[in-house]
Amino acid sequence: MIFVQGLLLGLTLQLSVGPVFFAVLHKSINQGFLEAFKMTIAVTLVDAFYICISFTTISALLKIQFFHRLMNIGGMAILIYFGWTYIKNANKNIDKSIDTPIENSFMYGLKLTAVNPLTVIFWSGTLGSLIAGSRLLGVNEITVYALGCLTATLLFLGIVSFLGKYIRPFINARVMKFLDYGVGIILIGFGIRLFYR
């Protein structure tokens, strides 16, 4: 039951789509399931790391306004950089084969997820409140709950990774170019939004 509760919370988080969702979908359409799934595994590992550190001093540090602001500025800069890279390479990616990796998908997934401080804020706030309210007692319950959350990430983004092969036949060079621009603008938008939060 605790696993299912964690799974439902994780799916709720995934349904509020953010930059990672769009990047995984783009990767799936452009380079196929395997590359997108590598990225999905990286995202899941970063979530696991953030869940672990949400029980440490990082939670307390995030309550310090200066530290919180510093993380937001760093996250904003990196998201804007990733977005600009998509826009800059929009014309270059048109002729690339689906089997030609533009870069290491696993590392890209790690970088993109790790720069988003909202992830650690979400996990530390949510899990902290559940523990404080005695809804999760002991290491075993917390671990099972966290595994449910991580399964949701793997499941949801795994499905997104799989969908790319069905969308791919409908994507021509022009649509791919607009998709690159779209993902770039979305990442830049999330970066700017992160700065003003």
Side-chain angles (χ1 to χ4, degrees):
M1 186 62 179
I2 293 171
F3 178 84
V4 173
Q5 290 172 354
L7 181 69
L8 292 175
L9 176 73
L11 286 173
T12 303
L13 173 64
Q14 295 303 321
L15 290 174
S16 58
V17 295
V20 172
F21 168 84
F22 291 106
V24 169
L25 181 61
H26 182 276
K27 182 73 74 174
S28 174
I29 292 169
N30 198 32
Q31 297 177 335
F33 169 77
L34 187 59
E35 292 302 313
F37 196 68
K38 286 180 192 174
M39 191 173 167
T40 297
I41 292 169
V43 170
T44 306
L45 289 175
V46 173
D47 274 359
F49 174 71
Y50 276 166
I51 286 171
C52 289
I53 66 170
S54 69
F55 299 112
T56 65
T57 53
I58 194 75
S59 302
L61 285 173
L62 286 169
K63 292 175 185 171
I64 300 170
Q65 187 63 29
F66 172 76
F67 186 75
H68 188 271
R69 195 70 173 155
L70 192 64
M71 281 190 71
N72 281 352
I73 291 170
M76 175 200 70
I78 296 169
L79 283 174
I80 288 174
Y81 170 75
F82 283 151
W84 172 246
T85 302
Y86 272 102
I87 292 169
K88 186 179 74 168
N89 293 329
N91 291 324
K92 297 177 189 173
N93 293 340
I94 289 172
D95 299 324
K96 287 192 180 291
S97 162
I98 195 168
D99 297 321
T100 306
I102 296 166
E103 67 174 291
N104 185 310
S105 301
F106 182 82
M107 289 306 296
Y108 180 72
L110 283 179
K111 290 186 288 184
L112 185 61
T113 311
V115 300
N116 191 352
L118 294 177
T119 308
V120 72
I121 291 167
F122 174 83
W123 289 124
S124 61
T126 304
L127 296 176
S129 66
L130 289 171
I131 292 165
S134 299
R135 292 185 61 195
L136 291 177
L137 301 171
V139 176
N140 288 342
E141 284 195 6
I142 293 168
T143 303
V144 171
Y145 193 88
L147 285 173
C149 294
L150 295 172
T151 301
T153 301
L154 198 60
L155 182 67
F156 183 80
L157 292 179
I159 291 169
V160 172
S161 301
F162 184 72
L163 288 176
K165 79 174 187 179
Y166 294 104
I167 297 171
R168 177 73 183 178
F170 304 103
I171 305 291
N172 59 28
R174 187 176 178 196
V175 173
M176 197 66 222
K177 179 179 176 180
F178 283 114
L179 185 63
D180 285 341
Y181 281 126
V183 172
I185 290 166
I186 287 167
L187 290 177
I188 290 170
F190 273 102
I192 293 168
R193 180 173 166 239
L194 187 62
F195 180 75
Y196 286 106
R197 280 187 77 122

PDB file of all heavy atoms in Angstrom, residues 35-50:
ATOM      1  N   GLU A  35      17.967   5.617 -26.791  1.00  0.00           N
ATOM      2  CA  GLU A  35      18.613   6.847 -26.314  1.00  0.00           C
ATOM      3  C   GLU A  35      17.725   7.576 -25.312  1.00  0.00           C
ATOM      4  O   GLU A  35      18.201   8.097 -24.299  1.00  0.00           O
ATOM      5  CB  GLU A  35      18.961   7.766 -27.488  1.00  0.00           C
ATOM      6  CG  GLU A  35      20.046   7.231 -28.392  1.00  0.00           C
ATOM      7  CD  GLU A  35      21.357   6.957 -27.656  1.00  0.00           C
ATOM      8  OE1 GLU A  35      21.818   7.819 -26.885  1.00  0.00           O
ATOM      9  OE2 GLU A  35      21.921   5.864 -27.852  1.00  0.00           O
ATOM     10  N   ALA A  36      16.414   7.626 -25.588  1.00  0.00           N
ATOM     11  CA  ALA A  36      15.484   8.290 -24.666  1.00  0.00           C
ATOM     12  C   ALA A  36      15.403   7.528 -23.352  1.00  0.00           C
ATOM     13  O   ALA A  36      15.302   8.128 -22.277  1.00  0.00           O
ATOM     14  CB  ALA A  36      14.105   8.409 -25.304  1.00  0.00           C
ATOM     15  N   PHE A  37      15.464   6.192 -23.417  1.00  0.00           N
ATOM     16  CA  PHE A  37      15.376   5.406 -22.192  1.00  0.00           C
ATOM     17  C   PHE A  37      16.645   5.537 -21.351  1.00  0.00           C
ATOM     18  O   PHE A  37      16.589   5.513 -20.122  1.00  0.00           O
ATOM     19  CB  PHE A  37      15.077   3.932 -22.496  1.00  0.00           C
ATOM     20  CG  PHE A  37      14.615   3.175 -21.287  1.00  0.00           C
ATOM     21  CD1 PHE A  37      13.385   3.454 -20.707  1.00  0.00           C
ATOM     22  CD2 PHE A  37      15.415   2.202 -20.713  1.00  0.00           C
ATOM     23  CE1 PHE A  37      12.961   2.779 -19.572  1.00  0.00           C
ATOM     24  CE2 PHE A  37      15.010   1.518 -19.581  1.00  0.00           C
ATOM     25  CZ  PHE A  37      13.769   1.807 -19.007  1.00  0.00           C
ATOM     26  N   LYS A  38      17.797   5.696 -22.007  1.00  0.00           N
ATOM     27  CA  LYS A  38      19.031   5.982 -21.264  1.00  0.00           C
ATOM     28  C   LYS A  38      18.866   7.271 -20.463  1.00  0.00           C
ATOM     29  O   LYS A  38      19.285   7.375 -19.310  1.00  0.00           O
ATOM     30  CB  LYS A  38      20.221   6.132 -22.225  1.00  0.00           C
ATOM     31  CG  LYS A  38      20.733   4.848 -22.819  1.00  0.00           C
ATOM     32  CD  LYS A  38      21.894   5.182 -23.741  1.00  0.00           C
ATOM     33  CE  LYS A  38      22.297   4.011 -24.604  1.00  0.00           C
ATOM     34  NZ  LYS A  38      23.320   4.386 -25.598  1.00  0.00           N
ATOM     35  N   MET A  39      18.259   8.253 -21.105  1.00  0.00           N
ATOM     36  CA  MET A  39      18.009   9.527 -20.440  1.00  0.00           C
ATOM     37  C   MET A  39      17.040   9.334 -19.275  1.00  0.00           C
ATOM     38  O   MET A  39      17.212   9.908 -18.200  1.00  0.00           O
ATOM     39  CB  MET A  39      17.452  10.516 -21.465  1.00  0.00           C
ATOM     40  CG  MET A  39      17.402  11.926 -20.978  1.00  0.00           C
ATOM     41  SD  MET A  39      16.926  13.012 -22.335  1.00  0.00           S
ATOM     42  CE  MET A  39      16.560  14.480 -21.394  1.00  0.00           C
ATOM     43  N   THR A  40      16.012   8.487 -19.477  1.00  0.00           N
ATOM     44  CA  THR A  40      15.027   8.199 -18.431  1.00  0.00           C
ATOM     45  C   THR A  40      15.689   7.562 -17.214  1.00  0.00           C
ATOM     46  O   THR A  40      15.372   7.918 -16.067  1.00  0.00           O
ATOM     47  CB  THR A  40      13.928   7.267 -18.990  1.00  0.00           C
ATOM     48  OG1 THR A  40      13.243   7.950 -20.042  1.00  0.00           O
ATOM     49  CG2 THR A  40      12.946   6.851 -17.921  1.00  0.00           C
ATOM     50  N   ILE A  41      16.608   6.645 -17.440  1.00  0.00           N
ATOM     51  CA  ILE A  41      17.332   6.006 -16.327  1.00  0.00           C
ATOM     52  C   ILE A  41      18.133   7.052 -15.556  1.00  0.00           C
ATOM     53  O   ILE A  41      18.149   7.059 -14.318  1.00  0.00           O
ATOM     54  CB  ILE A  41      18.236   4.871 -16.844  1.00  0.00           C
ATOM     55  CG1 ILE A  41      17.372   3.717 -17.360  1.00  0.00           C
ATOM     56  CG2 ILE A  41      19.183   4.382 -15.754  1.00  0.00           C
ATOM     57  CD1 ILE A  41      18.127   2.653 -18.127  1.00  0.00           C
ATOM     58  N   ALA A  42      18.779   7.958 -16.278  1.00  0.00           N
ATOM     59  CA  ALA A  42      19.551   9.021 -15.626  1.00  0.00           C
ATOM     60  C   ALA A  42      18.647   9.910 -14.777  1.00  0.00           C
ATOM     61  O   ALA A  42      18.992  10.253 -13.641  1.00  0.00           O
ATOM     62  CB  ALA A  42      20.275   9.857 -16.682  1.00  0.00           C
ATOM     63  N   VAL A  43      17.478  10.267 -15.313  1.00  0.00           N
ATOM     64  CA  VAL A  43      16.524  11.106 -14.577  1.00  0.00           C
ATOM     65  C   VAL A  43      16.098  10.397 -13.291  1.00  0.00           C
ATOM     66  O   VAL A  43      16.030  11.006 -12.214  1.00  0.00           O
ATOM     67  CB  VAL A  43      15.291  11.430 -15.451  1.00  0.00           C
ATOM     68  CG1 VAL A  43      14.195  12.094 -14.639  1.00  0.00           C
ATOM     69  CG2 VAL A  43      15.692  12.310 -16.632  1.00  0.00           C
ATOM     70  N   THR A  44      15.824   9.098 -13.380  1.00  0.00           N
ATOM     71  CA  THR A  44      15.407   8.316 -12.213  1.00  0.00           C
ATOM     72  C   THR A  44      16.505   8.290 -11.160  1.00  0.00           C
ATOM     73  O   THR A  44      16.230   8.420  -9.959  1.00  0.00           O
ATOM     74  CB  THR A  44      15.025   6.881 -12.638  1.00  0.00           C
ATOM     75  OG1 THR A  44      14.043   6.942 -13.672  1.00  0.00           O
ATOM     76  CG2 THR A  44      14.471   6.096 -11.470  1.00  0.00           C
ATOM     77  N   LEU A  45      17.755   8.144 -11.588  1.00  0.00           N
ATOM     78  CA  LEU A  45      18.874   8.131 -10.644  1.00  0.00           C
ATOM     79  C   LEU A  45      19.042   9.478  -9.943  1.00  0.00           C
ATOM     80  O   LEU A  45      19.321   9.533  -8.737  1.00  0.00           O
ATOM     81  CB  LEU A  45      20.170   7.741 -11.356  1.00  0.00           C
ATOM     82  CG  LEU A  45      20.265   6.282 -11.796  1.00  0.00           C
ATOM     83  CD1 LEU A  45      21.539   6.041 -12.599  1.00  0.00           C
ATOM     84  CD2 LEU A  45      20.225   5.352 -10.585  1.00  0.00           C
ATOM     85  N   VAL A  46      18.861  10.565 -10.686  1.00  0.00           N
ATOM     86  CA  VAL A  46      18.952  11.893 -10.069  1.00  0.00           C
ATOM     87  C   VAL A  46      17.816  12.082  -9.067  1.00  0.00           C
ATOM     88  O   VAL A  46      18.028  12.613  -7.971  1.00  0.00           O
ATOM     89  CB  VAL A  46      18.951  13.014 -11.128  1.00  0.00           C
ATOM     90  CG1 VAL A  46      18.878  14.381 -10.472  1.00  0.00           C
ATOM     91  CG2 VAL A  46      20.196  12.933 -11.993  1.00  0.00           C
ATOM     92  N   ASP A  47      16.608  11.640  -9.423  1.00  0.00           N
ATOM     93  CA  ASP A  47      15.496  11.701  -8.475  1.00  0.00           C
ATOM     94  C   ASP A  47      15.828  10.918  -7.206  1.00  0.00           C
ATOM     95  O   ASP A  47      15.554  11.375  -6.095  1.00  0.00           O
ATOM     96  CB  ASP A  47      14.211  11.145  -9.103  1.00  0.00           C
ATOM     97  CG  ASP A  47      13.432  12.195  -9.888  1.00  0.00           C
ATOM     98  OD1 ASP A  47      13.877  13.362  -9.923  1.00  0.00           O
ATOM     99  OD2 ASP A  47      12.378  11.853 -10.446  1.00  0.00           O
ATOM    100  N   ALA A  48      16.418   9.727  -7.373  1.00  0.00           N
ATOM    101  CA  ALA A  48      16.803   8.902  -6.213  1.00  0.00           C
ATOM    102  C   ALA A  48      17.818   9.651  -5.345  1.00  0.00           C
ATOM    103  O   ALA A  48      17.709   9.659  -4.108  1.00  0.00           O
ATOM    104  CB  ALA A  48      17.378   7.572  -6.683  1.00  0.00           C
ATOM    105  N   PHE A  49      18.779  10.286  -6.000  1.00  0.00           N
ATOM    106  CA  PHE A  49      19.784  11.058  -5.264  1.00  0.00           C
ATOM    107  C   PHE A  49      19.131  12.205  -4.497  1.00  0.00           C
ATOM    108  O   PHE A  49      19.414  12.428  -3.320  1.00  0.00           O
ATOM    109  CB  PHE A  49      20.838  11.590  -6.246  1.00  0.00           C
ATOM    110  CG  PHE A  49      21.836  12.509  -5.617  1.00  0.00           C
ATOM    111  CD1 PHE A  49      22.800  12.027  -4.748  1.00  0.00           C
ATOM    112  CD2 PHE A  49      21.805  13.865  -5.903  1.00  0.00           C
ATOM    113  CE1 PHE A  49      23.723  12.884  -4.162  1.00  0.00           C
ATOM    114  CE2 PHE A  49      22.719  14.729  -5.323  1.00  0.00           C
ATOM    115  CZ  PHE A  49      23.686  14.244  -4.444  1.00  0.00           C
ATOM    116  N   TYR A  50      18.224  12.924  -5.171  1.00  0.00           N
ATOM    117  CA  TYR A  50      17.550  14.049  -4.515  1.00  0.00           C
ATOM    118  C   TYR A  50      16.663  13.580  -3.361  1.00  0.00           C
ATOM    119  O   TYR A  50      16.536  14.271  -2.351  1.00  0.00           O
ATOM    120  CB  TYR A  50      16.728  14.847  -5.526  1.00  0.00           C
ATOM    121  CG  TYR A  50      17.539  15.883  -6.286  1.00  0.00           C
ATOM    122  CD1 TYR A  50      17.033  16.479  -7.429  1.00  0.00           C
ATOM    123  CD2 TYR A  50      18.798  16.277  -5.858  1.00  0.00           C
ATOM    124  CE1 TYR A  50      17.763  17.431  -8.130  1.00  0.00           C
ATOM    125  CE2 TYR A  50      19.532  17.226  -6.543  1.00  0.00           C
ATOM    126  CZ  TYR A  50      19.006  17.803  -7.676  1.00  0.00           C
ATOM    127  OH  TYR A  50      19.734  18.750  -8.355  1.00  0.00           O
TER     128      TYR A  50
END
